[in-house]
Amino acid sequence: MTKSYHVAVVGATGAVGTQMIELLEEADIKIKQISLLSSARSAGKKLTFHGKEIVIQEATPESFAGVDIALFSAGGSVSKVLAPEASKRGAVVIDNTSAFRMDTDVPLVVPEVNEHALKKHKGIIANPNCSTIQMVAALEPIRQAFGLKRIIVSTYQAVSGSGLNAINELKEQSQAILDQKSFTPEVMPVKSDQKHYQIAFNALPQIDVFTENGYTYEEMKMINETKKIMEDDSIQVAATCVRVPVITGHAESVYFEIDQSHVKVKEIQAVLKNAPGVILQDDPKTQLYPQQATAVGKKEVFIGRIRADLDCTNGFHSWIVSDNLLKGAAWNSVQIAESLIKLNII
Ligand code: NAP
Ligand code: 3JM
């Protein structure tokens, strides 16, 4: 008989949490009970699961009694406090925040790339940053075939990566500008930082706060997480993360250098055609290339615009796009839960 699971979603009312609930409805997971958890602000409100109304509860340590799988997406500080509590009570935690990603005891997993790492979990598994996930999913098949030396990435990230408040700010600000009304930026680029700037009809080269070395935390997440997931500290990675006025879908201009020289674009395309979770959209003749607007609602990672660098014999340019709330967050987490069940390690 297939086992059935009690699943908890922490941050159930958020941009990521609501997507998780929808994906759990159609996942390869037999769910006997679902707990939808949030802060005290949303406790008492209702959401539906399989057409049934479920009352949202405030997340507390006791919420996790009897829970088998806990999907966390309520910010790093909530995870730091409650993920160990959930784990202590026997739940396997799949955490969407940056709280534990670089801990040596915590597998950081994109199932298409390093599903095997799940076997070493000790109760907490981390879901990588949205921008890292789509990049490594598309580059791993290339790395497997030709080796990978270096990555230089610039991102064009949607505001939904910053939550529901950011989506609302973009919509309201856009309308205010069209209506020639005044507005005060309050959320972008980072709600907790000192200054806030216009995001509508603008692009902001700051995602998360700055670190000592001049890179932002988002950029350092892409750099460190890529090396951990690919299990290779020698890969050179540099990132520039930019917020653009798009509601959903992250795009990335990715330059990469492989180990071999003089590999043909067609050979790289051939590898990507058979890659799991990746769709090649690359035909300049018919103007086929990935776009944020056409990736929304899809679980896959899209790659196109693959060109050989004109100077470097092992360098290539590409354009990688995915729905940041799906493969970048909710879908990757649900996929991890499915993998745990498939591998019989829960
Ligand atoms: P969001 O739309 O702002 O939603 C935040 C959610 O967290 C809401 O459900 C909120 O509940 C809940 N929450 C806030 N404070 C809480 C507390 N003290 N206790 C319990 N629940 C609390 O944000 P989001 O975009 O869904 O993102 C949520 C988190 O997921 C982010 O902070 C980030 O760490 C992570 N994330 C990861 C990725 C990724 O790349 N893997 C992408 C996006 C987000 P209320 O309704 O009660 O306020
Ligand atoms: C994406 O308040 C917080 O701790 C959330 C900050 C955040 C993160 C993070 O660092 O967990 C917002 C959006 C992420 C992420 O995936 O890294």
Side-chain angles (χ1 to χ4, degrees):
M1 212 179 71
T2 32
K3 205 174 150 191
S4 61
Y5 299 89
H6 179 176
V7 177
V9 178
V10 188
T13 53
V16 177
T18 49
Q19 298 276 352
M20 280 176 170
I21 297 166
E22 279 184 32
L23 290 169
L24 285 169
E25 286 181 326
E26 58 191 55
D28 249 350
I29 305 172
K30 204 167 163 205
I31 297 176
K32 63 177 178 198
Q33 191 180 341
I34 190 154
S35 297
L36 303 183
L37 308 173
S38 71
S39 78
R41 284 182 296 274
S42 293
K45 291 183 189 163
K46 288 172 188 159
L47 283 168
T48 58
F49 184 69
H50 282 311
K52 214 177 113 197
E53 283 196 331
I54 311 276
V55 180
I56 299 163
Q57 293 167 307
E58 182 181 357
T60 65
E62 292 70 40
S63 313
F64 299 98
V67 168
D68 301 300
I69 303 171
L71 303 174
F72 272 75
S73 193
S77 53
V78 175
S79 290
K80 278 193 183 132
V81 175
L82 290 180
E85 296 289 344
S87 173
K88 210 160 65 185
R89 287 167 175 77
V92 174
V93 170
I94 301 169
D95 184 40
N96 236 294
T97 78
S98 57
F100 307 106
R101 286 181 191 145
M102 297 313 295
D103 290 10
T104 41
D105 273 353
V106 174
L108 181 64
V109 176
V110 178
E112 291 88 344
V113 180
N114 64 337
E115 190 182 52
H116 62 91
L118 289 173
K119 292 180 186 150
K120 290 194 184 146
H121 87 80
K122 295 194 167 73
I124 301 180
I125 295 151
N127 193 79
N129 179 262
C130 39
S131 298
T132 312
I133 293 176
Q134 66 181 62
M135 185 173 79
V136 299
L139 292 185
E140 177 65 11
I142 299 170
R143 189 176 82 93
Q144 290 291 336
F146 308 110
L148 189 61
K149 268 199 167 75
R150 175 168 212 186
I151 303 168
I152 301 174
V153 53
S154 295
T155 70
Y156 302 65
Q157 296 181 224
V159 294
S160 60
S162 234
L164 294 174
N165 287 339
I167 299 175
N168 291 337
E169 179 165 85
L170 173 60
K171 287 182 180 170
E172 286 164 16
Q173 218 174 72
S174 302
Q175 196 58 56
I177 291 170
L178 293 172
D179 293 342
Q180 296 183 316
K181 291 195 176 134
S182 66
F183 59 89
T184 310
E186 285 170 354
V187 180
M188 287 286 123
V190 180
K191 193 156 189 243
S192 60
D193 213 342
Q194 301 157 52
K195 291 187 178 172
H196 300 99
Y197 299 120
Q198 176 182 331
I199 182 62
F201 306 99
N202 199 13
L204 298 172
Q206 182 191 353
I207 301 185
D208 211 330
V209 292
F210 283 92
T211 73
E212 285 295 307
N213 67 8
Y215 286 75
T216 62
Y217 270 103
E218 187 84 350
E219 290 160 354
M220 291 312 298
K221 287 174 201 172
M222 289 194 79
I223 293 165
N224 295 326
E225 293 175 17
T226 297
K227 294 173 199 237
K228 176 164 174 176
I229 298 162
M230 291 185 164
E231 295 170 6
D232 184 355
D233 280 342
S234 74
I235 301 174
Q236 298 169 13
V237 190
T240 303
C241 292
V242 181
R243 190 74 72 188
V244 294
V246 165
I247 291 180
T248 303
H250 288 355
E252 301 175 341
S253 166
V254 181
Y255 170 74
F256 57 92
E257 289 173 8
I258 57 178
D259 287 345
Q260 301 176 30
S261 285
H262 303 294
V263 169
K264 300 252 182 331
V265 167
K266 277 201 174 352
E267 295 175 75
I268 292 188
Q269 289 170 328
V271 164
L272 290 166
K273 268 184 200 151
N274 296 314
V278 178
I279 295 181
L280 179 72
Q281 290 184 323
D282 196 9
D283 187 14
K285 283 194 206 73
T286 59
Q287 286 176 281
L288 178 68
Y289 40 76
Q291 298 166 41
Q292 278 125 307
T294 51
V296 175
K298 312 257 168 56
K299 290 175 181 162
E300 293 86 0
V301 174
F302 300 86
I303 180 165
R305 296 294 325 275
I306 302 170
R307 289 149 287 152
D309 189 75
L310 299 179
D311 298 302
C312 180
T313 55
N314 60 339
F316 294 86
H317 300 267
S318 66
W319 183 248
I320 299 173
V321 178
S322 194
D323 184 323
N324 55 297
L325 297 177
L326 293 180
K327 185 59 184 165
W331 172 234
N332 199 66
S333 294
V334 172
Q335 239 184 333
I336 289 173
E338 287 187 346
S339 293
L340 289 170
I341 293 167
K342 183 187 74 186
L343 298 172
N344 215 6
I345 44 178
I346 183 160

